[in-house]
């Protein structure tokens, strides 16, 4: 009596090799194509949600560079449209000169450079109450969304006083 149903073909070794070769070639070409497409920023911004989540930490590293010497106060990723930015302050190394944001100490200029994360309307002050002489503090760089304080702004912090550096203003 004949068997019912479809006749099963067995895969021969040469057929398996051919199939694996085709799958490997298609997979590699698909991988290369996707990588080339995602290398373009405007396409990647539309297709990838992770770029939005990760923020732009490399922009901070490039702008600050080795000058910061690793002195970072409360550094968090700055996401586009989030309403935060960063300001790089520098002076002669003054461990007693503290930087205040909204009357809270966020760090000191003991290494000569400090990166401070700011929000719109934050009050930036320099606490030189423990310093023996006046100290000049310069705004070296700011993130692209910070409108004030401007890079290049220099403020003299008088010894024994708290000096206003400015109020942060952020754009888009």
């Amino acid at each position: 009596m004949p068997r019912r149903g479809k006749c099963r073909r067995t895969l021969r070794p040469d057929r398996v090799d051919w199939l694996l070769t085709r799958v490997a070639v298609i997979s590699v070409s698909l991988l290369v194509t996707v990588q080339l497409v995602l290398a373009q920023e405007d396409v990647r911004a539309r297709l990838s949600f992770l770029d939005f989540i990760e923020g732009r930490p490399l922009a901070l590293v490039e702008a600050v560079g080795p000058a910061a010497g690793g002195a970072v106060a409360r550094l968090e990723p700055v996401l586009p449209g989030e309403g935060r930015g960063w300001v790089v302050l520098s002076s002669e190394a003054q461990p007693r000169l503290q930087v205040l944001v909204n009357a809270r100490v966020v760090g000191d200029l003991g290494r000569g450079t400090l990166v401070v994360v700011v929000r719109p309307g934050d009050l930036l002050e320099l606490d030189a109450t423990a310093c023996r002489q006046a100290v000049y503090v310069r705004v070296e760089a700011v993130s692209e969304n910070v409108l004030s304080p401007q890079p290049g702004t220099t403020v003299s912090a008088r010894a024994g006083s708290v000096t206003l550096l400015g109020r942060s203003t952020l754009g888009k």
Side-chain angles (χ1 to χ4, degrees):
M1 212 162 163
R3 288 183 161 179
R4 290 186 174 190
K6 294 184 178 179
C7 178
R8 290 188 170 186
R9 287 194 293 179
T10 59
L11 288 177
R12 298 181 313 235
D14 60 333
R15 183 107 174 126
V16 172
D17 288 345
W18 178 84
L19 184 63
L20 287 176
T21 304
R22 294 287 180 191
V23 168
V25 168
I26 290 171
S27 297
V28 168
S29 60
L30 182 63
L31 176 69
V32 168
T33 303
V34 168
Q35 291 297 323
L36 287 174
V37 169
L38 290 177
Q40 299 179 16
E41 278 201 43
D42 56 336
V43 175
R44 187 177 62 240
R46 289 193 175 110
L47 295 179
S48 174
F49 183 69
L50 289 179
D51 281 351
F52 176 75
I53 292 173
E54 290 176 356
R56 290 187 259 170
L58 289 180
L60 174 63
V61 172
E62 290 169 4
V64 176
V72 176
R74 295 185 188 173
L75 184 61
E76 302 163 11
V78 178
L79 302 177
E82 184 185 16
R84 287 190 299 175
W86 46 263
V87 177
V88 181
L89 303 174
S90 71
S91 75
E92 300 172 4
Q94 291 287 333
R96 295 181 180 155
L97 179 62
Q98 296 181 326
V99 178
L100 310 173
V101 175
N102 298 327
R104 288 187 169 158
V105 176
V106 295
D108 62 47
L109 288 163
R111 292 186 176 176
T113 306
L114 182 69
V115 181
V116 181
V117 175
V118 295
R119 296 187 191 292
D122 278 352
L123 189 65
L124 298 167
E125 298 171 303
L126 304 170
D127 183 0
T129 53
C131 295
R132 294 185 183 150
Q133 60 185 9
V135 180
Y136 290 94
V137 177
R138 179 178 165 86
V139 177
E140 293 295 332
V142 296
S143 61
E144 60 189 35
N145 61 337
V146 173
L147 302 176
S148 73
Q150 290 288 318
T153 303
T154 303
V155 174
S156 173
R158 292 185 324 178
S161 68
V162 176
T163 305
L164 177 68
L165 180 64
R167 203 170 270 286
S168 64
T169 307
L170 275 62
K172 290 186 177 187

